[in-house]
Amino acid sequence: MNFRDVMALAKRRGILQAAYEPYGGVAGFFDYGPVGVRLRRKIIELWRQHFVLGFGALEIDSALIGPESLFKASGHLSEFDDLLVECLECNKLYRADLLVEGGGALDRDGIAVALAGKKCESCGGKFDVPRPFNLMFSTNVGAGRGTPSYLRPETAQGIFQAFPWLLRQNRGKLPLAAAQVGRAFRNEIAPRQGPLRLREFTQLELEHFFLPNDEPELPNPLESIEINLVPAKGKKKSTTVGNALSSGIVDSSLVATHLARTQNFLTSLGVAKDKLRFRQHRANEMAHYSSDCWDGEIYTSLGWVEVVGVAHRGDYDLSAHDSSSSKEFRVPLPGTEKEREVWVPNIGKLGKEFKGKAKSILEAIKNVDIEPDISIKANGKTIVLSEEYLSQKTERGSEMVFPYVVEPSFGLDRILYCLLESSWKRDGEREWISLPQETSPYDLLVAPLMTKDRLDEKAQEILQSALDMGVDAYYDEAGSIGRRYARADEIGIFFSMTIDHQTLEDGTVTLRERDSKNQNRLSIEDALDKVRR
RNA sequence: GCAGGCGUGGUCUAGUGGUAGGACUAGGGCCUUCCAAGCCCUCAGCGCGGGUUCGACUCCCGCCGCCUGCACCA
């Protein structure tokens, strides 16, 4: 099963197709159809079970458009802003900073200067002036010129900027896990390979915050999870998560924890263990915010496809928003509560004595430890503040620190693609999607053997009770029964229930299981009970 | 973005300077007691825009999209 086949099936069976298809399509954008939406929902639900529910994560849904200041702080404005340079002869496009030695350390002008003498590596032609290309879609908020804003390039910033609010919701406690499912946007230069490289995509992200000196340990039940690791240095290794952590292959216990959770989640979706590996980023492929990152990759006909990144982001994001915004993003470090006596200015007396100069005096002693008879410089004069202008008070406080964060970030579209490719089975003429029931788009096909003798009425009746029970059921009465099984198989419906004449007599139906094609005759109640998840 | 190739119903495809056929799928009907049976009928297509021409799906140009390679890819 290759890329072409999967995309043809996806279109034929209502999973996905190019967006704006009647207008020729727009590269990098896709529409999901009825079956595709069901598959996405199932994946998201399973993800929520693994990473949100039963884990106490706080789930949010933040705005898609953000102000420039936010993305200045997050680093996306500068880091997503590649300087590209084009060869005037052969029109090849290069990353300017990669052409210049030490280009990463230079600013834009520096790169332009260093580039002046360089020639195109492939044809020896001259370069055009370098031009910036930002991966973020820009827009303006409001009327007139408006406020420069961007579509978010990752859902994560929505969580980081909301951290003070979320911390309150968590009643000030760490660790705190915050989750978000939503779309993110990147104006890729050349999107290809359909749902694997999109300009608009869906992320499933968890941000797991903790105190630097109190990183959550690897939970016991996860220690024995087996995973395939490809470290940046050293050899590929299959081992348990516990071993990986104790031997130092994985440095952080929380990263190890989320590698294990990720392994559990992906295999429960139906991904085969031997087609799943975690590859550590080398220093030079690390994102600007990340200090350690492991990509979860699934093997497909296109090679290894990255579907998740488990990144240690340190305090990069919170400290960035702390210094760029007016909010406090640090938290008090428990056990460091202290009382101390401090001197504070007596503003009333200062005002009376120094009148208009009082303001500059206060300005001068801001952020300075003061005590009686301190000399300060204000308005070019040296002033000695005696005890009468000061008073003493007791200050209570803690040392403030930035929490660290570990982030597992999943690409829904990529997961869906990999799942389709890997679960598509073929046996002669028969083709079917062999997904576990949890991720199948429907639980049950309800089909009358024929549309006469009121078999269809009976089938409709059973359909309704199945739907009432919360079973995802699909009704089909068109064509031969074999044809309907085939249709159901192709979108991965897990069970098929057939209503025949005997059903009318004794209330039994045949229940067929997709993968084995085995059939059993059961009472309607038993059958529905078996189908219900 | 560059170079090359390609673009015909939902899918796979045939074809011509005089506006298109097939197979599969789908829908309707007949028939049918369990894995795409059969018969009848039906829906639906030359990616978009210009140019040449009496006439363009066909030739030319531009754009869009797809594929391959290069470059890019938190």
Side-chain angles (χ1 to χ4, degrees):
Chain A
M1 193 51 56
N2 61 33
F3 182 75
R4 212 181 127 99
D5 294 330
V6 173
M7 295 307 282
L9 168 103
K11 186 166 187 180
R12 186 154 36 101
R13 290 305 181 199
I15 297 170
L16 59 87
Q17 72 163 358
Y20 311 110
E21 206 262 0
Y23 293 90
V26 183
F29 298 92
F30 277 86
D31 287 343
Y32 285 89
V35 175
V37 168
R38 281 179 173 272
L39 286 167
R40 282 165 63 92
R41 286 251 162 83
K42 302 277 172 153
I43 296 169
I44 291 170
E45 267 324 296
L46 211 55
W47 181 82
R48 292 181 74 240
Q49 278 170 29
H50 278 261
F51 288 94
V52 183
L53 311 169
F55 183 51
L58 308 178
E59 197 172 7
I60 70 165
D61 191 348
S62 62
L64 302 187
I65 293 176
E68 188 165 58
S69 49
L70 173 78
F71 298 113
K72 250 182 202 164
S74 69
H76 287 98
L77 206 55
S78 54
E79 292 298 327
F80 262 34
D81 198 17
D82 292 334
L83 205 56
L84 298 182
V85 64
E86 193 175 348
C87 169
L88 290 167
E89 301 287 326
C90 66
N91 294 315
K92 266 197 175 178
L93 209 58
Y94 296 91
R95 276 258 306 267
D97 58 326
L98 298 180
L99 288 176
V100 179
E101 211 158 304
L106 294 173
D107 66 5
R108 206 163 273 180
D109 293 339
I111 290 175
V113 169
L115 212 54
K118 296 265 179 188
K119 294 268 165 73
C120 174
E121 284 169 6
S122 76
C123 77
K126 280 190 170 176
F127 283 126
D128 196 356
V129 292
R131 297 172 205 282
F133 175 80
N134 196 295
L135 243 26
M136 287 193 292
F137 288 98
S138 62
T139 185
N140 289 289
V141 173
R145 221 172 304 157
T147 306
S149 301
Y150 299 89
L151 271 68
R152 63 184 183 190
E154 58 172 8
T155 55
Q157 294 309 323
I159 294 178
F160 293 132
Q161 58 84 33
F163 176 76
W165 185 42
L166 288 168
L167 186 65
R168 251 182 126 68
Q169 306 314 309
N170 212 39
R171 303 205 315 281
K173 286 195 165 54
L174 288 176
L176 181 168
Q180 176 159 219
V181 177
R183 301 243 182 179
F185 306 83
R186 287 178 202 178
N187 198 1
E188 297 285 351
I189 298 172
R192 248 185 232 180
Q193 297 180 319
L196 300 184
R197 187 95 176 275
L198 293 170
R199 289 185 164 130
E200 175 179 343
F201 54 99
T202 297
Q203 291 187 306
L204 314 171
E205 288 197 314
L206 185 80
E207 305 297 338
H208 200 152
F209 301 97
F210 59 96
L211 289 167
N213 63 354
D214 192 22
E215 179 167 349
E217 288 179 5
L218 177 64
N220 276 335
L222 297 181
E223 276 177 13
S224 56
I225 304 289
E226 299 243 4
I227 52 173
N228 303 317
L229 295 173
V230 184
K233 291 172 186 166
K235 283 188 177 168
K236 184 180 168 173
K237 191 168 184 180
S238 297
T239 183
T240 65
V241 173
N243 277 337
L245 182 61
S246 57
S247 65
I249 298 174
V250 177
D251 190 47
S252 145
S253 58
L254 195 53
V255 168
T257 302
H258 285 296
L259 289 177
R261 285 188 195 283
T262 297
Q263 169 90 9
N264 280 348
F265 165 60
L266 291 174
T267 52
S268 74
L269 281 176
V271 176
K273 275 184 185 172
D274 60 331
K275 289 188 172 171
L276 180 57
R277 72 175 191 189
F278 293 91
R279 191 180 61 82
Q280 187 177 31
H281 279 202
R282 295 167 194 284
N284 62 4
E285 59 178 328
M286 216 95 77
H288 63 274
Y289 49 72
S290 173
S291 58
D292 186 20
C293 183
W294 292 81
D295 279 348
E297 302 178 326
I298 297 175
Y299 191 74
T300 71
S301 63
L302 299 166
W304 290 97
V305 172
E306 175 201 338
V307 300
V308 51
V310 180
H312 198 300
R313 294 177 75 135
D315 65 5
Y316 179 92
D317 300 279
L318 292 187
S319 68
H321 290 304
D322 184 89
S323 52
S324 302
S325 76
S326 55
K327 275 267 181 191
E328 174 66 82
F329 281 74
R330 295 174 301 173
V331 299
L333 190 60
T336 60
E337 298 85 359
K338 269 185 204 151
E339 278 189 11
R340 59 174 195 155
E341 301 295 308
V342 294
W343 292 92
V344 294
N346 185 328
I347 297 173
K349 281 199 173 157
L350 280 173
K352 274 183 189 160
E353 178 67 24
F354 295 100
K355 313 280 187 205
K357 289 180 194 161
K359 199 175 175 190
S360 54
I361 293 173
L362 287 173
E363 193 62 33
I365 59 174
K366 195 177 166 189
N367 298 328
V368 175
D369 284 334
I370 53 175
E371 55 186 16
D373 301 325
I374 186 174
S375 17
I376 55 160
K377 280 194 174 177
N379 280 357
K381 286 181 183 169
T382 300
I383 295 166
V384 175
L385 293 180
S386 60
E387 192 167 342
E388 62 177 304
Y389 296 112
L390 306 176
S391 53
Q392 229 176 356
K393 80 170 203 191
T394 306
E395 200 177 75
R396 292 183 183 80
S398 293
E399 195 182 322
M400 299 295 281
V401 294
F402 288 113
Y404 282 171
V405 68
V406 166
E407 165 201 88
S409 169
F410 294 82
L412 177 60
D413 312 272
R414 290 179 171 193
I415 293 174
L416 180 52
Y417 174 83
C418 292
L419 224 46
L420 283 180
E421 187 180 308
S422 66
S423 63
W424 194 348
K425 299 278 169 22
R426 192 177 265 164
D427 180 13
E429 288 282 283
R430 186 164 113 92
E431 287 179 15
W432 74 105
I433 299 176
S434 177
L435 288 169
Q437 192 180 353
E438 287 74 27
T439 40
S440 295
Y442 291 93
D443 299 314
L444 178 69
L445 166 73
V446 177
L449 193 56
M450 292 176 297
T451 54
K452 62 178 192 183
D453 302 331
R454 300 166 68 93
L455 290 179
D456 48 342
E457 284 174 34
K458 184 67 183 168
Q460 290 276 11
E461 204 180 285
I462 295 172
L463 170 76
Q464 197 52 53
S465 45
L467 291 172
D468 289 347
M469 289 168 64
V471 170
D472 283 331
Y474 183 87
Y475 182 78
D476 191 357
E477 62 174 32
S480 72
I481 191 67
R483 189 180 210 81
R484 282 174 276 163
Y485 288 153
R487 270 198 291 254
D489 284 345
E490 211 173 19
I491 57 171
I493 298 179
F494 202 78
F495 289 106
S496 296
M497 179 189 286
T498 308
I499 288 82
D500 58 16
H501 286 96
Q502 197 182 329
T503 310
L504 301 179
E505 287 162 23
D506 64 6
T508 60
V509 294
T510 55
L511 192 66
R512 167 188 183 269
E513 197 269 328
R514 180 196 60 209
D515 290 344
S516 64
K517 299 198 289 181
N518 287 340
Q519 296 192 7
N520 283 314
R521 187 161 273 278
L522 301 166
S523 73
I524 295 168
E525 293 71 31
D526 288 351
L528 287 178
D529 205 48
K530 188 165 180 190
V531 168
R532 174 161 43 179
R533 282 179 295 137

